[in-house]
Amino acid sequence: MLVALDISAARRLFDELPSTKRNPYLHPDYVSLDAAHKGAEPYFFGGSIGDKTYLFSGHFIDSPELAIRDSESPRGYGGLLCSCNEPLALREAYEQYRRWLAKQSCLVEFVRFHPLLANHHGFDGDVFVNRQTCSVVLTSYHMKQLGSRALRYVKKAKKADCFTQITLTPDTLQLAAFTALYNQRMDELDGMKQYRYRPEYFQQLFELPIVTALVMVWHQQRLIAAAILMGAGEYLEYHLSCSDDVGRQLGATNLLLHEASQHFSDQYRYLHLGGGLSNDQQDPLFQFKHSVGKTLTPFLIGGFIIDSERYEKLKQSIANPPRRIIFYRPS
């Protein structure tokens, strides 16, 4: 039987899963940290049925003005972690999960499935392809696998005497330098509110019981590019990244990803870069990531209406509702 879990029980279940099923974005402590950032309530539901382990996790998002509660994946990815892929077993787990969500007065579940975990199997709602994501296969990584543009920038950065530092325990000055560069880049970009964080968030990432790495590229004693990577199981995630004008001119982020791929090649199977800002194949961010990570996997999203009667009444009460499952909240 599956039950609501506290974070300690959720951690134990996560650690019991095979390495192919563990990902940093679905670690209970990351789910909780992201909930605190968003002002959401984290939840965990799972257990064992026979010899099979199941772990559901997510955020409850409340809309007090509508008296609505939804379930949503944390920033990054979510969905079920399970030690099996048997359709009947997954169906039984989802049935128990749906009954529990209904008891929590949840209206809708919205899920961002992880492309490499492919954990949309067994999901009993609607599933859609959102966009393609890019990965580096670390177990066979070699610089020659890079696209011509990425390879050219790696060589350019090296020729300019850029050098890379990788640390799992950044000091106060290193974190301050990253924070300043990251915030500077966010100030330069429009519409990036969802990617802004409180200063303590960056330190809290390094307190998670997963591998968190700060990768920095320096040029003439100046930090010109940096990224925070998170690892668990077989997966290393490209979580946050930033650079300045000099870094972009010299291709410092290409050097960063190359050095990180070499450094972690014997610890993880994949470096997952994610996708672009849209599903357009000409999206500049997607093209950059694809020049580095040649392995493409689709990012799927899913929705399930838990209380269909209430959902339809709400939909009829709103004139011209947007064509998305959670139409009553801003996108």
Side-chain angles (χ1 to χ4, degrees):
M1 181 177 178
L2 307 185
V3 296
L5 304 168
D6 62 23
I7 193 168
S8 296
R11 286 188 194 115
R12 288 194 294 272
L13 281 182
F14 183 90
D15 291 340
E16 290 173 6
L17 291 162
S19 62
T20 55
K21 302 292 185 176
R22 297 196 306 270
N23 182 275
Y25 280 126
L26 287 92
H27 190 285
D29 286 85
Y30 174 79
V31 173
S32 294
L33 175 59
D34 190 62
H37 166 68
K38 287 171 29 178
E41 178 186 340
Y43 71 80
F44 308 99
F45 182 83
S48 298
I49 302 176
D51 60 349
K52 301 172 182 65
T53 300
Y54 304 86
L55 178 59
F56 294 93
S57 62
H59 296 162
F60 285 132
I61 309 290
D62 292 318
S63 302
E65 69 282 3
L66 297 172
I68 287 173
R69 163 168 282 196
D70 297 312
S71 163
E72 187 175 300
S73 299
R75 190 226 152 174
Y77 305 98
L80 169 64
L81 294 178
C82 178
S83 59
C84 80
N85 290 312
E86 299 171 16
L88 289 177
L90 292 173
R91 183 185 305 170
E92 181 181 356
Y94 268 106
E95 286 175 354
Q96 292 191 38
Y97 178 52
R98 296 285 172 238
R99 288 195 294 270
W100 179 76
L101 284 179
K103 289 179 180 178
Q104 311 311 307
S105 301
C106 203
L107 182 63
V108 167
E109 182 190 19
F110 178 72
V111 187
R112 304 175 186 91
F113 299 104
H114 196 287
L116 294 175
L117 292 175
N119 57 339
H120 60 285
H121 295 296
F123 185 75
D124 48 355
D126 296 321
V127 177
F128 307 93
V129 176
N130 182 272
R131 67 195 71 182
Q132 295 293 317
T133 68
C134 310
S135 298
V136 179
V137 180
L138 296 178
T139 49
S140 60
Y141 179 76
H142 192 281
M143 191 167 72
K144 292 180 180 178
Q145 297 171 349
L146 297 172
S148 58
R149 179 184 175 187
L151 183 59
R152 185 170 66 252
Y153 272 125
V154 170
K155 292 178 178 178
K156 182 178 182 180
K158 286 186 173 184
K159 186 176 180 181
D161 292 327
C162 297
F163 71 94
T164 305
Q165 279 184 305
I166 301 176
T167 178
L168 306 185
T169 55
D171 60 31
T172 302
L173 292 177
Q174 289 170 328
L175 266 182
F178 172 83
T179 302
L181 183 61
Y182 183 83
N183 289 337
Q184 173 187 315
R185 185 57 179 153
M186 292 302 102
D187 289 341
E188 295 169 353
L189 299 172
D190 293 327
M192 303 298 281
K193 181 180 178 181
Q194 70 271 34
Y195 296 112
R196 289 186 174 273
Y197 298 93
R198 302 182 309 274
E200 62 270 22
Y201 173 82
F202 304 110
Q203 175 61 49
Q204 290 168 339
L205 286 173
F206 290 89
E207 296 168 358
L208 296 173
I210 57 175
V211 171
T212 309
L214 177 60
V215 187
M216 299 165 285
V217 179
W218 299 85
H219 179 253
Q220 297 178 353
Q221 300 183 322
R222 169 180 172 175
L223 183 65
I224 60 172
I228 292 178
L229 310 180
M230 303 191 306
E234 294 189 347
Y235 311 98
L236 188 64
E237 295 285 348
Y238 185 48
H239 182 50
L240 300 173
S241 181
C242 53
S243 61
D244 65 9
D245 290 341
V246 174
R248 291 188 288 278
Q249 178 188 0
L250 295 178
T253 304
N254 290 97
L255 177 63
L256 182 156
L257 291 171
H258 165 64
E259 297 284 354
S261 296
Q262 287 189 320
H263 182 85
F264 290 106
S265 62
D266 60 348
Q267 299 176 51
Y268 300 98
R269 186 175 180 185
Y270 298 104
L271 168 56
H272 184 239
L273 302 175
L277 295 176
S278 69
N279 60 3
D280 185 352
Q281 296 292 299
Q282 302 305 311
D283 180 292
L285 182 59
F286 172 79
Q287 289 189 324
F288 164 73
K289 290 180 177 180
H290 193 209
S291 72
V292 177
K294 294 298 185 181
T295 299
L296 295 180
T297 45
F299 165 45
L300 306 179
I301 58 174
F304 185 91
I305 300 169
I306 298 162
D307 187 341
S308 56
E309 182 178 349
R310 187 180 176 206
Y311 184 86
E312 288 304 320
K313 286 182 179 178
L314 180 62
K315 199 169 187 177
Q316 292 171 12
S317 70
I318 298 176
N320 301 314
R323 297 184 63 182
R324 59 176 189 270
I325 188 167
I326 303 181
F327 59 84
Y328 42 85
R329 275 202 277 129
S331 57

